[in-house]
Amino acid sequence: MSSKQVYINQLKEGQNLEEIFVLLEARLAQSRNGPFWDLKLQDRTGQIDAKIWHPQSAEYVDLAPGLVVQAAGQVRSFRDRPQLNVTRLRALPAEEEQAVWPELIPSSKVPPERLLEELETICRCELSLPAWKKLCRKILKDEEIRSRLLAAPAAKSVHHAYRGGLLEHTLKVVRVCLSLSELYEGLDRDILIVAAVVHDLGKAWELEGGIVRDYTDQGQLLGHIVIGLETLEPFLSGLKELPRDLILHLKHMVVSHHGEYLFGSPKRPMTREALLLHYADNLDAKMNTADKALEDLEGASGQWTSVVYALERRLYRPGTSSGQAAASESEAQGQEKVQQCLLPLKE
């Protein structure tokens, strides 16, 4: 089996292709012309909607999410978004699937192993209370936690929805908390770091970390906040050096980090540290969502994204001050060269 030649982020309208993807979603729907398959395909660069129209749709009795498929068809545009009209689809044999997984599973730009290493370094170097250092070391050295963290996305689709996404998000939230703790006096810097490290730990069990990112039964029934507290409890109960009020504060920060009841938070933040953690978490999620939407404009002539439903708006790609400064500097250098060329004539 040859490796992929064309990726989703390279597709252009009118392009014909035959490529390998993972089937993320498959639904049999009905149109005026007959039943059709409504699909979502993925490779490591992104996702694309796809359709198998009638009568070809009748050739496929059962299409299940998680299949690795070879799809042939043409890229069209629908509502300003690319869509693949599939003319032929076949599932790869199971023995060929694993070889192409790296081409199909989106991953963080920085390898998850390096992200985890940096997280451990921050805990070792930035925490001052030995008991907090011991707690983070035990959590991050636990074999099951490590293996899950390395594979886990931070969400199914909205933000950091790729392998290593949970670690990337966690590390960003830790960095935001560190930066803001320098700005606002009187904060418990240690507990901010620890809470940022563990606030989304339950997501490593809430979502599948494999080729199809979906909710586990545990994730559906309990959610990552409850799972996170259950995961932390054995580590906290075995740590006799920490006062009970600090443990209670840490639990409160984990429980309240979604900020509002409307967003699934059992409690609203009731301490300054809990407020800061909530806003740091929300900020990184929103910025990552915006970044991913704007990445879709790369190479495009327009400056507006389609509607980003998680943000309830379209986003605009403006010019940059750095680009303007570079242009001004280039213009100034050009004028200086002209003056230097004219000086001999004046003499």
Side-chain angles (χ1 to χ4, degrees), residues 10 12 46 65-66 87 90 103 108 112 157 175 179 198 223 227 254 299 343:
Q10 301 170 329
K12 306 292 183 185
T87 56
R90 76 173 184 92
E103 306 291 338
S108 54
S157 59
R175 287 173 175 167
S179 297
V198 303
I227 298 169
V254 172
L343 281 175

PDB file of all heavy atoms in Angstrom, residues 10 12 46 65-66 87 90 103 108 112 157 175 179 198 223 227 254 299 343:
ATOM      1  N   GLN A  10      -5.021  20.187   1.297  1.00  0.00           N
ATOM      2  CA  GLN A  10      -4.516  20.555  -0.021  1.00  0.00           C
ATOM      3  C   GLN A  10      -5.594  20.498  -1.105  1.00  0.00           C
ATOM      4  O   GLN A  10      -5.335  20.864  -2.251  1.00  0.00           O
ATOM      5  CB  GLN A  10      -3.370  19.604  -0.425  1.00  0.00           C
ATOM      6  CG  GLN A  10      -2.195  19.599   0.532  1.00  0.00           C
ATOM      7  CD  GLN A  10      -1.214  18.480   0.241  1.00  0.00           C
ATOM      8  OE1 GLN A  10      -1.602  17.407  -0.231  1.00  0.00           O
ATOM      9  NE2 GLN A  10       0.056  18.711   0.521  1.00  0.00           N
ATOM     10  N   LYS A  12      -8.600  21.089  -3.675  1.00  0.00           N
ATOM     11  CA  LYS A  12      -9.126  22.238  -4.414  1.00  0.00           C
ATOM     12  C   LYS A  12     -10.413  21.832  -5.132  1.00  0.00           C
ATOM     13  O   LYS A  12     -10.572  20.675  -5.540  1.00  0.00           O
ATOM     14  CB  LYS A  12      -8.109  22.733  -5.452  1.00  0.00           C
ATOM     15  CG  LYS A  12      -6.720  23.041  -4.890  1.00  0.00           C
ATOM     16  CD  LYS A  12      -6.731  24.241  -3.971  1.00  0.00           C
ATOM     17  CE  LYS A  12      -5.313  24.568  -3.494  1.00  0.00           C
ATOM     18  NZ  LYS A  12      -5.321  25.677  -2.500  1.00  0.00           N
ATOM     19  N   GLY A  46      -6.980  17.211   8.643  1.00  0.00           N
ATOM     20  CA  GLY A  46      -8.302  17.794   8.821  1.00  0.00           C
ATOM     21  C   GLY A  46      -9.423  16.839   8.438  1.00  0.00           C
ATOM     22  O   GLY A  46      -9.221  15.622   8.319  1.00  0.00           O
ATOM     23  N   PRO A  65     -18.389   4.022  11.297  1.00  0.00           N
ATOM     24  CA  PRO A  65     -17.284   4.903  11.714  1.00  0.00           C
ATOM     25  C   PRO A  65     -16.102   4.079  12.213  1.00  0.00           C
ATOM     26  O   PRO A  65     -16.267   3.051  12.870  1.00  0.00           O
ATOM     27  CB  PRO A  65     -17.904   5.728  12.846  1.00  0.00           C
ATOM     28  CG  PRO A  65     -19.366   5.731  12.552  1.00  0.00           C
ATOM     29  CD  PRO A  65     -19.657   4.382  11.961  1.00  0.00           C
ATOM     30  N   GLY A  66     -14.910   4.549  11.864  1.00  0.00           N
ATOM     31  CA  GLY A  66     -13.690   3.849  12.261  1.00  0.00           C
ATOM     32  C   GLY A  66     -13.061   3.061  11.140  1.00  0.00           C
ATOM     33  O   GLY A  66     -11.901   2.640  11.253  1.00  0.00           O
ATOM     34  N   THR A  87     -17.434   8.506  -5.789  1.00  0.00           N
ATOM     35  CA  THR A  87     -17.936   7.605  -6.828  1.00  0.00           C
ATOM     36  C   THR A  87     -17.580   6.150  -6.538  1.00  0.00           C
ATOM     37  O   THR A  87     -18.212   5.233  -7.067  1.00  0.00           O
ATOM     38  CB  THR A  87     -17.357   7.997  -8.196  1.00  0.00           C
ATOM     39  OG1 THR A  87     -15.921   8.010  -8.119  1.00  0.00           O
ATOM     40  CG2 THR A  87     -17.857   9.371  -8.616  1.00  0.00           C
ATOM     41  N   ARG A  90     -13.919   1.765  -0.908  1.00  0.00           N
ATOM     42  CA  ARG A  90     -13.639   0.405  -0.434  1.00  0.00           C
ATOM     43  C   ARG A  90     -12.900   0.479   0.893  1.00  0.00           C
ATOM     44  O   ARG A  90     -12.083   1.380   1.131  1.00  0.00           O
ATOM     45  CB  ARG A  90     -12.813  -0.392  -1.459  1.00  0.00           C
ATOM     46  CG  ARG A  90     -11.345  -0.040  -1.531  1.00  0.00           C
ATOM     47  CD  ARG A  90     -10.587  -0.990  -2.454  1.00  0.00           C
ATOM     48  NE  ARG A  90      -9.149  -0.719  -2.447  1.00  0.00           N
ATOM     49  CZ  ARG A  90      -8.292  -1.319  -1.628  1.00  0.00           C
ATOM     50  NH1 ARG A  90      -8.728  -2.217  -0.751  1.00  0.00           N
ATOM     51  NH2 ARG A  90      -7.010  -1.027  -1.666  1.00  0.00           N
ATOM     52  N   GLU A 103      -0.880   8.652   9.027  1.00  0.00           N
ATOM     53  CA  GLU A 103      -1.341   9.584   8.000  1.00  0.00           C
ATOM     54  C   GLU A 103      -2.771  10.062   8.247  1.00  0.00           C
ATOM     55  O   GLU A 103      -3.224  11.031   7.631  1.00  0.00           O
ATOM     56  CB  GLU A 103      -1.286   8.906   6.613  1.00  0.00           C
ATOM     57  CG  GLU A 103       0.053   8.316   6.244  1.00  0.00           C
ATOM     58  CD  GLU A 103       1.097   9.379   5.995  1.00  0.00           C
ATOM     59  OE1 GLU A 103       0.718  10.524   5.692  1.00  0.00           O
ATOM     60  OE2 GLU A 103       2.295   9.070   6.121  1.00  0.00           O
ATOM     61  N   SER A 108      -0.732  16.808  17.620  1.00  0.00           N
ATOM     62  CA  SER A 108      -0.172  18.119  17.945  1.00  0.00           C
ATOM     63  C   SER A 108       1.114  18.342  17.150  1.00  0.00           C
ATOM     64  O   SER A 108       1.827  17.392  16.820  1.00  0.00           O
ATOM     65  CB  SER A 108       0.112  18.215  19.442  1.00  0.00           C
ATOM     66  OG  SER A 108       0.938  17.139  19.864  1.00  0.00           O
ATOM     67  N   PRO A 112       3.680  14.689  21.446  1.00  0.00           N
ATOM     68  CA  PRO A 112       3.111  14.609  22.803  1.00  0.00           C
ATOM     69  C   PRO A 112       4.150  14.253  23.862  1.00  0.00           C
ATOM     70  O   PRO A 112       4.061  14.716  24.999  1.00  0.00           O
ATOM     71  CB  PRO A 112       2.053  13.509  22.670  1.00  0.00           C
ATOM     72  CG  PRO A 112       1.656  13.548  21.229  1.00  0.00           C
ATOM     73  CD  PRO A 112       2.901  13.901  20.477  1.00  0.00           C
ATOM     74  N   SER A 157     -14.383  17.635  19.016  1.00  0.00           N
ATOM     75  CA  SER A 157     -14.319  18.361  17.749  1.00  0.00           C
ATOM     76  C   SER A 157     -14.004  19.844  17.892  1.00  0.00           C
ATOM     77  O   SER A 157     -13.521  20.462  16.958  1.00  0.00           O
ATOM     78  CB  SER A 157     -15.654  18.216  16.997  1.00  0.00           C
ATOM     79  OG  SER A 157     -16.720  18.730  17.780  1.00  0.00           O
ATOM     80  N   ARG A 175       0.838  27.608  31.415  1.00  0.00           N
ATOM     81  CA  ARG A 175       1.638  28.798  31.083  1.00  0.00           C
ATOM     82  C   ARG A 175       0.846  30.088  31.289  1.00  0.00           C
ATOM     83  O   ARG A 175       1.394  31.093  31.769  1.00  0.00           O
ATOM     84  CB  ARG A 175       2.099  28.708  29.621  1.00  0.00           C
ATOM     85  CG  ARG A 175       3.196  27.685  29.383  1.00  0.00           C
ATOM     86  CD  ARG A 175       3.447  27.549  27.897  1.00  0.00           C
ATOM     87  NE  ARG A 175       4.560  26.676  27.587  1.00  0.00           N
ATOM     88  CZ  ARG A 175       4.813  26.206  26.368  1.00  0.00           C
ATOM     89  NH1 ARG A 175       4.005  26.524  25.361  1.00  0.00           N
ATOM     90  NH2 ARG A 175       5.843  25.430  26.151  1.00  0.00           N
ATOM     91  N   SER A 179       1.836  33.097  33.874  1.00  0.00           N
ATOM     92  CA  SER A 179       1.977  34.496  33.455  1.00  0.00           C
ATOM     93  C   SER A 179       1.077  35.410  34.277  1.00  0.00           C
ATOM     94  O   SER A 179       1.518  36.469  34.748  1.00  0.00           O
ATOM     95  CB  SER A 179       1.634  34.634  31.966  1.00  0.00           C
ATOM     96  OG  SER A 179       2.530  33.895  31.177  1.00  0.00           O
ATOM     97  N   VAL A 198      -3.997  19.323  36.429  1.00  0.00           N
ATOM     98  CA  VAL A 198      -4.951  18.211  36.591  1.00  0.00           C
ATOM     99  C   VAL A 198      -6.387  18.584  36.227  1.00  0.00           C
ATOM    100  O   VAL A 198      -7.268  17.714  36.280  1.00  0.00           O
ATOM    101  CB  VAL A 198      -4.915  17.670  38.043  1.00  0.00           C
ATOM    102  CG1 VAL A 198      -3.521  17.221  38.415  1.00  0.00           C
ATOM    103  CG2 VAL A 198      -5.448  18.700  39.044  1.00  0.00           C
ATOM    104  N   GLY A 223     -18.841  12.169  32.735  1.00  0.00           N
ATOM    105  CA  GLY A 223     -18.202  13.420  32.345  1.00  0.00           C
ATOM    106  C   GLY A 223     -16.812  13.549  32.943  1.00  0.00           C
ATOM    107  O   GLY A 223     -16.487  12.928  33.963  1.00  0.00           O
ATOM    108  N   ILE A 227     -14.900  12.140  36.528  1.00  0.00           N
ATOM    109  CA  ILE A 227     -13.829  11.156  36.300  1.00  0.00           C
ATOM    110  C   ILE A 227     -12.506  11.686  36.834  1.00  0.00           C
ATOM    111  O   ILE A 227     -11.720  10.950  37.448  1.00  0.00           O
ATOM    112  CB  ILE A 227     -13.706  10.819  34.798  1.00  0.00           C
ATOM    113  CG1 ILE A 227     -14.997  10.183  34.283  1.00  0.00           C
ATOM    114  CG2 ILE A 227     -12.531   9.872  34.554  1.00  0.00           C
ATOM    115  CD1 ILE A 227     -15.053  10.057  32.766  1.00  0.00           C
ATOM    116  N   VAL A 254     -10.893  22.187  40.386  1.00  0.00           N
ATOM    117  CA  VAL A 254     -11.193  21.205  39.335  1.00  0.00           C
ATOM    118  C   VAL A 254     -12.694  21.184  39.037  1.00  0.00           C
ATOM    119  O   VAL A 254     -13.124  21.217  37.882  1.00  0.00           O
ATOM    120  CB  VAL A 254     -10.695  19.804  39.746  1.00  0.00           C
ATOM    121  CG1 VAL A 254     -11.170  18.747  38.748  1.00  0.00           C
ATOM    122  CG2 VAL A 254      -9.174  19.783  39.855  1.00  0.00           C
ATOM    123  N   GLY A 299      -3.643  30.009   2.075  1.00  0.00           N
ATOM    124  CA  GLY A 299      -3.641  29.756   0.642  1.00  0.00           C
ATOM    125  C   GLY A 299      -4.892  30.207  -0.067  1.00  0.00           C
ATOM    126  O   GLY A 299      -4.984  30.139  -1.285  1.00  0.00           O
ATOM    127  N   LEU A 343      23.729  61.084  -3.907  1.00  0.00           N
ATOM    128  CA  LEU A 343      24.740  61.940  -3.275  1.00  0.00           C
ATOM    129  C   LEU A 343      25.911  62.279  -4.207  1.00  0.00           C
ATOM    130  O   LEU A 343      26.306  63.438  -4.300  1.00  0.00           O
ATOM    131  CB  LEU A 343      25.264  61.259  -1.997  1.00  0.00           C
ATOM    132  CG  LEU A 343      24.349  61.383  -0.775  1.00  0.00           C
ATOM    133  CD1 LEU A 343      24.921  60.575   0.393  1.00  0.00           C
ATOM    134  CD2 LEU A 343      24.195  62.848  -0.372  1.00  0.00           C
TER     135      LEU A 343
END
